[in-house]
C-alpha cells in the first residue's frame, strides 16, 4: 500500500478495487464526466461527418432552394425541447441507441472510401437519433419523433 492507503502502489491493486475507484470517481463527478463524454462524442461526430457537414453547408449557401436550411436544426431542436417537456416519460437510456449510433457512424465512414456524400448525410441523421435513444430511451424517442423527422428537410 502507498502512503495514501489507496492500494495502487506497486501494481498490486486488484481489478475490482480499481473498478470500484473508477465507479466512485464517475459517480462523484457525474456532470464533469458526462460533459467530457459529450465533448468527445461531438468532436468525433464532427470528424466522421465533416464531408457531410461541408456538403450540407455548401447546399445551404449556394442554392436558393435550400436557403432555409440553417433554420431546420434550430426548429427541430425547439420541437424536441417542447415535446420533451410535455412527455410524461423520464429519460432512461438504452444500449440499442449505441448500436444505432454506430450504424450511423459506419455510414459516415463509408464516405471516406467512396465518392458519394449521401451515405454520410443519412448516417448523420441516424447517428443523432441513436445518440438520443442511447441517452433518453426508445420509448421517449418514439414520443419525440416529429423533431427527428423534421431534420430530414435539412
Amino acid at each position: 500500500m502507498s502512503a495514501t492507503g489507496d492500494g495502487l502502489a506497486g501494481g498490486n491493486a486488484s481489478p475490482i478495487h480499481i473498478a470500484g475507484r473508477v465507479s466512485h470517481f464517475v459517480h462523484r463527478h457525474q456532470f464533469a464526466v458526462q460533459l467530457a463524454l459529450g465533448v468527445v462524442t461531438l468532436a468525433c461526430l464532427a470528424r466522421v461527418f465533416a464531408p457531410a457537414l461541408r456538403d450540407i453547408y455548401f447546399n445551404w449557401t449556394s442554392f436558393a432552394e435550400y436557403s432555409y436550411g440553417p433554420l431546420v436544426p434550430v426548429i427541430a431542436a425547439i420541437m424536441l425541447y417542447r415535446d420533451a417537456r410535455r412527455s410524461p416519460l423520464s429519460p432512461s437510456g438504452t444500449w440499442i441507441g449505441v448500436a444505432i449510433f454506430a450504424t450511423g457512424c459506419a455510414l459516415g465512414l463509408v464516405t471516406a472510401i467512396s465518392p458519394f456524400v449521401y451515405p454520410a448525410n443519412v448516417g448523420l441523421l441516424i447517428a443523432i437519433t441513436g445518440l438520443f435513444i442511447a441517452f433518453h430511451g426508445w420509448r421517449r424517442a418514439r414520443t419525440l419523433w416529429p423533431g427527428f423527422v423534421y431534420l430530414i428537410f435539412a
Side-chain angles (χ1 to χ4, degrees), residues 8 12 22 38 40 49 63 69 75 78 81 87 91 96 109-110 130 134 152:
L8 298 178
N12 59 0
V22 169
V40 168
F49 293 106
F63 302 109
I75 294 170
I78 291 169
Y81 177 75
S87 176
I96 191 74
L109 292 173
V110 165
I152 293 171

Side-chain angles (χ1 to χ4, degrees), residues 5 7 13 22 27 84 89-90 103 106 110 116-117 120 129 134-135:
V22 169
H27 180 69
L89 301 171
S90 62
T103 303
V110 165
F116 304 110
V117 180
T129 304
F135 287 106

Side-chain angles (χ1 to χ4, degrees), residues 12-136:
N12 59 0
S14 71
I16 294 172
H17 178 73
I18 293 171
R21 302 233 343 136
V22 169
S23 175
H24 176 72
F25 176 83
V26 168
H27 180 69
R28 190 165 180 203
H29 304 286
Q30 187 173 7
F31 177 74
V33 170
Q34 288 176 346
L35 183 63
L37 284 173
V39 168
V40 168
T41 302
L42 288 177
C44 291
L45 277 175
R47 177 65 183 113
V48 168
F49 293 106
L53 293 171
R54 279 193 300 272
D55 183 56
I56 291 169
Y57 179 76
F58 175 78
N59 288 337
W60 287 352
T61 58
S62 301
F63 302 109
E65 60 267 17
Y66 293 116
S67 63
Y68 65 89
L71 292 175
V72 172
V74 173
I75 294 170
I78 291 169
M79 290 171 67
L80 287 170
Y81 177 75
R82 178 201 62 199
D83 292 344
R85 290 194 53 171
R86 292 179 183 171
S87 176
L89 301 171
S90 62
S92 60
T94 178
W95 284 102
I96 191 74
V98 175
I100 294 169
F101 174 74
T103 303
C105 288
L107 283 172
L109 292 173
V110 165
T111 303
I113 59 173
S114 86
F116 304 110
V117 180
Y118 184 71
N121 292 348
V122 173
L124 181 60
L125 179 61
I126 292 171
I128 291 170
T129 304
L131 270 179
F132 189 86
I133 292 170
F135 287 106
H136 288 270

